[in-house]
């Protein structure tokens, strides 16, 4: 069945455009995705994608930093950006009458960056402060350490922000060269959702981004090798931060939805196994949750908990006990159906948000190269069974490869226990 609300086009320079019409919405969410992230960087310019994302907001050939900030904010809209390990996204949310203004500003950012020496130096200082802040945010820091431990020297293991050394040594001409090389036609996807006409959108994009070169970057990405590591980081803090994880399904894996259900069941909410066991029944933590971190060719399922030093062993042992129970006994049909309903409900509620739809359109185009409706995703989730989830846990989720990071005060004394903790 054809979805008349969704349309896809491609400019002659390779820029792909996807949109979904929501005629009842007052708003339009529009974005430009550059398919370059941390994993595409070389070690000498680690953090350049994120630095570049900051620098484009410092001014273009036609707008100052203030004019960029004011452009949509003055209209009640929002303009922002973020960098991941696999892409950089520039996005805007505006009232439907202002979508062309949003497109103009976004196109300006990715086409006409203007750098001067002073602003370049100042923004490098800002990034260095951001790195220092992330060091103080232990719940954030532990994930960077974990990525470094399990992926080693692979580019996926590097922090998105870069390192103090790589940022301090970054040169202005390196950033400009990277901008010109990566912000090109075949490396760009434009995604929009809301009350707008696709043909009008295409005309606006052709006018602004049509002149861009079609250069396609050579894909040098390699699949990372998972390293089994147990690491402790002694650090002054109020709590011990615990992170355990194991390799799991990538975006394209046939067991991806089994992974989604397993993650939800383990630590996806207040009804999850770990939340009920560790927090509700025993009050040992304020926060415990699991996360599914998926990439194009790999993925990881992580379990995070923050607790008092005196309770660290109890929390780790409880997580271990719960995981071994699931591994040995499997999960019940009742649990699988309950968590499938939870996931489906979350997807349906999210589909009413046009920013979520805009993101979904783009990610599906980037990963799969085609549209996947909300209904088709739900149908795939409905096909997940208790047998397929138990198969995934037993055969695909390799608990013997569990890696972990323990960060906080007194963790050196827990090193031998941590290294021996079995999942």
């Amino acid at each position: 069945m054809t979805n008349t609300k969704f349309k896809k086009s491609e400019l002659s320079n390779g820029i792909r455009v996807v949109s979904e019409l929501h005629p009842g919405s007052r708003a339009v969410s529009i974005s430009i995705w550059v398919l370059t992230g941390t994993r595409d960087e070389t070690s000498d310019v680690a953090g350049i994608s994120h630095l570049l994302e900051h620098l484009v907001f410092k001014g273009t050939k036609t707008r100052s930093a203030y004019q960029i900030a004011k452009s949509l904010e003055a209209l009640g809209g929002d303009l922002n950006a973020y960098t991941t390990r696999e892409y950089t996204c520039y996005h805007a949310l505006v009232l439907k009458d202002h979508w062309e203004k949003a497109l103009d500003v976004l196109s300006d950012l990715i086409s006409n960056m203007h750098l001067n020496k002073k602003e370049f130096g100042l923004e490098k200082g800002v990034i260095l402060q951001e790195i220092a802040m992330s060091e103080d945010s232990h719940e954030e820091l532990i994930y960077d350490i974990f990525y470094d431990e399990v992926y080693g020297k692979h580019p996926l293991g590097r922090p998105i922000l870069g390192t103090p050394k790589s940022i301090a040594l970054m040169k202005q001409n390196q950033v400009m060269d990277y901008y010109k090389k990566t912000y090109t036609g075949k490396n760009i996807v434009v995604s929009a959702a809301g009350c707008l006409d696709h043909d009008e959108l295409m005309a606006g994009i052709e006018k602004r981004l049509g002149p861009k070169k079609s250069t396609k970057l050579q894909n040098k990405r390699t699949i990372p090798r998972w390293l089994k590591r147990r690491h402790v980081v002694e650090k002054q803090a109020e709590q011990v931060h615990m992170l355990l994880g194991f390799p799991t399904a990538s975006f394209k894996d046939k067991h991806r939805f089994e992974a989604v259900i397993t993650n939800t069941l383990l630590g996806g909410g207040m009804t999850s196994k770990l939340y009920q066991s560790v927090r509700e029944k025993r009050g040992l933590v304020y926060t415990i949750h699991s996360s599914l971190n998926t990439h194009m060719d790999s993925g990881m399922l992580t379990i995070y908990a923050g607790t008092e030093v005196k309770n660290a062993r109890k929390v780790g042992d409880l997580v271990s006990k719960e995981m071994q129970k699931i591994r040995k006994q499997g999960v019940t049909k009742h649990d699988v159906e309950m968590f499938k309903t939870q996931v489906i409900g979350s997807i349906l509620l999210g589909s009413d948000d046009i920013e979520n739809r805009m993101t979904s359109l783009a990610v599906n185009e980037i990963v799969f190269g085609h549209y996947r409706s909300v209904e088709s995703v739900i149908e795939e989730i409905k096909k997940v069974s208790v047998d397929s989830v138990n198969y995934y846990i037993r055969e695909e989720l390799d608990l013997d490869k569990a890696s972990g990071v323990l960060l906080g005060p007194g963790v050196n004394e827990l090193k031998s226990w941590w290294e021996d903790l079995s999942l």
Side-chain angles (χ1 to χ4, degrees), residues 60 88 113 171 193 204 207 241 325 354 356 358 367 375 415:
T60 67
T88 307
M113 178 176 70
K171 293 182 171 54
K207 174 183 172 184
H241 300 264
K325 180 182 175 183
I354 62 163
N356 279 348
M358 172 276 291
V367 177
E375 292 75 20
K415 187 175 181 181

Side-chain angles (χ1 to χ4, degrees), residues 204-313:
I205 293 170
E206 183 69 62
K207 174 183 172 184
R208 294 165 177 83
L209 300 178
K212 269 195 172 290
K213 292 180 181 178
S214 63
T215 317
K216 184 177 182 179
L217 294 180
Q218 185 179 355
N219 187 352
K220 296 181 179 179
R221 292 179 179 179
T222 58
I223 300 173
R225 184 169 67 91
W226 182 271
L227 304 173
K228 184 178 178 179
R229 299 278 178 84
R230 294 293 174 87
H231 189 54
V232 296
V233 181
E234 186 74 28
K235 202 168 185 69
Q236 188 58 44
E238 292 296 320
Q239 284 193 314
V240 166
H241 300 264
M242 183 181 298
L243 188 64
L244 287 159
F246 13 83
T248 187
S250 71
F251 265 125
K252 295 182 179 180
D253 195 287
K254 64 180 180 180
H255 297 293
R256 168 148 164 70
F257 289 109
E258 278 77 10
V260 170
I261 299 301
T262 301
N263 174 60
T264 308
L265 180 147
L266 283 175
M270 291 189 290
T271 53
S272 66
K273 301 293 185 184
L274 293 174
Y275 190 94
Q276 286 294 313
S277 174
V278 182
R279 174 175 164 153
E280 289 300 283
K281 291 181 182 177
R282 295 172 179 85
L284 292 172
V285 299
Y286 174 72
T287 300
I288 184 165
H289 58 79
S290 62
S291 303
L292 194 61
N293 308 296
T294 45
H295 307 297
M296 296 284 278
D297 53 13
S298 53
M300 63 171 74
L301 197 159
T302 57
I303 297 165
Y304 168 84
T307 187
E308 292 180 85
V309 183
K310 65 180 183 180
N311 291 328
R313 279 178 186 263

Side-chain angles (χ1 to χ4, degrees), residues 1 78 87 136 178-179 220 292 357:
M1 185 174 162
D78 181 61
Y87 50 74
D136 289 337
Y178 198 76
Y179 181 69
K220 296 181 179 179
L292 194 61
R357 291 306 304 146

Side-chain angles (χ1 to χ4, degrees), residues 334-352:
H334 174 270
D335 279 343
V336 170
E337 292 305 315
M338 182 176 82
F339 289 107
K340 277 169 61 177
T341 301
Q342 183 177 321
V343 170
I344 289 169
S346 177
I347 290 171
L348 286 171
L349 287 170
S351 70
D352 282 346

Side-chain angles (χ1 to χ4, degrees), residues 59-182:
T60 67
K61 294 171 184 176
T62 57
R63 290 179 173 93
S64 66
Y66 178 75
Q67 287 171 327
I68 292 168
K70 182 183 175 184
S71 60
L72 303 186
E73 195 172 287
L75 301 172
D78 181 61
L79 175 66
N80 217 324
Y82 60 90
T83 303
T84 74
R85 287 176 164 83
E86 298 193 305
Y87 50 74
T88 307
C89 173
Y90 299 89
H91 57 99
L93 178 67
V94 291
L95 291 171
K96 61 183 180 181
D97 292 339
H98 303 145
W99 72 263
E100 197 160 9
K101 178 75 169 180
L103 176 62
D104 195 58
V105 175
L106 290 168
S107 302
D108 200 21
L109 292 178
I110 71 153
S111 302
N112 302 312
M113 178 176 70
H114 180 69
L115 268 184
N116 64 54
K117 189 175 180 180
K118 180 182 177 183
E119 289 292 354
F120 180 70
L122 288 173
E123 203 57 32
K124 285 211 302 182
V126 170
I127 300 295
L128 290 171
Q129 290 180 62
E130 190 177 355
I131 293 171
M133 283 176 63
S134 72
E135 289 277 337
D136 289 337
S137 175
H138 298 149
E139 191 171 343
E140 187 178 327
L141 174 63
I142 198 169
Y143 280 92
D144 278 344
I145 296 171
F146 186 80
Y147 263 86
D148 180 54
E149 287 294 316
V150 300
Y151 289 144
K153 293 182 179 180
H154 191 279
L156 263 180
R158 297 193 194 117
I160 292 168
L161 302 182
T163 66
K165 182 179 180 181
S166 67
I167 297 301
L169 294 176
M170 202 87 69
K171 293 182 171 54
Q172 189 171 327
N173 67 311
Q174 288 177 306
V175 176
M176 282 306 302
D177 288 346
Y178 198 76
Y179 181 69
K180 291 173 183 176
K181 184 177 77 173
T182 60

Side-chain angles (χ1 to χ4, degrees), residues 360-378:
S360 181
L361 295 177
V363 171
N364 283 324
E365 177 58 34
I366 292 166
V367 177
F368 301 103
H370 60 80
Y371 176 68
R372 294 164 80 229
S373 68
V374 173
E375 292 75 20
S376 68
V377 172
I378 288 171

